[in-house]
Amino acid sequence: MREGFGYVRGIQIYASNTTLLIEGRRAKWTGKITIDGDEGEAMDALKERVNSLATPFQLEWRRISAKPWDWKLVRVSNSALEIPGDVY
């Protein structure tokens, strides 16, 4: 993601139809994600792939310490998202 977002400017990420399940030190966020941003070839490709997905994204978080802000994103998945091998 870090490498991919380096090619786009002004990216905005929107979430809808979200749910959050917290079990102990793990949390699972599920929701529809859409993106927008400054016009460009990379942004157009991202918007085409992400915004057309009907399947929601799942983000898994793990709590690192007792501090309320100390969570780490450990997994992002969407079964319908396909990234061709020639993209990276």
Side-chain angles (χ1 to χ4, degrees):
M1 286 181 62
R2 288 181 187 155
E3 289 180 23
F5 283 136
Y7 294 100
V8 296
R9 299 285 179 243
I11 191 164
Q12 297 172 339
I13 302 172
Y14 302 98
S16 60
N17 302 328
T18 62
T19 60
L20 178 64
L21 175 63
I22 301 173
E23 295 177 337
R25 300 179 74 85
R26 291 183 170 197
K28 186 177 277 188
W29 178 96
T30 304
K32 168 95 170 122
I33 292 177
T34 54
I35 60 173
D36 199 5
D38 296 346
E39 294 298 318
E41 192 174 316
M43 179 56 73
D44 292 343
L46 278 172
K47 285 170 38 175
E48 181 181 326
R49 288 193 194 278
V50 173
N51 296 352
S52 64
L53 296 173
T55 306
F57 280 83
Q58 292 185 339
L59 283 66
E60 184 180 333
W61 298 81
R62 291 205 183 129
R63 193 164 192 179
I64 304 302
S65 72
K67 298 173 187 168
W69 60 82
D70 203 4
W71 289 82
K72 181 179 182 179
L73 179 63
V74 294
R75 182 178 179 160
V76 175
S77 61
N78 185 312
S79 60
L81 180 63
E82 295 181 21
I83 301 172
D86 62 348
V87 169
Y88 53 93

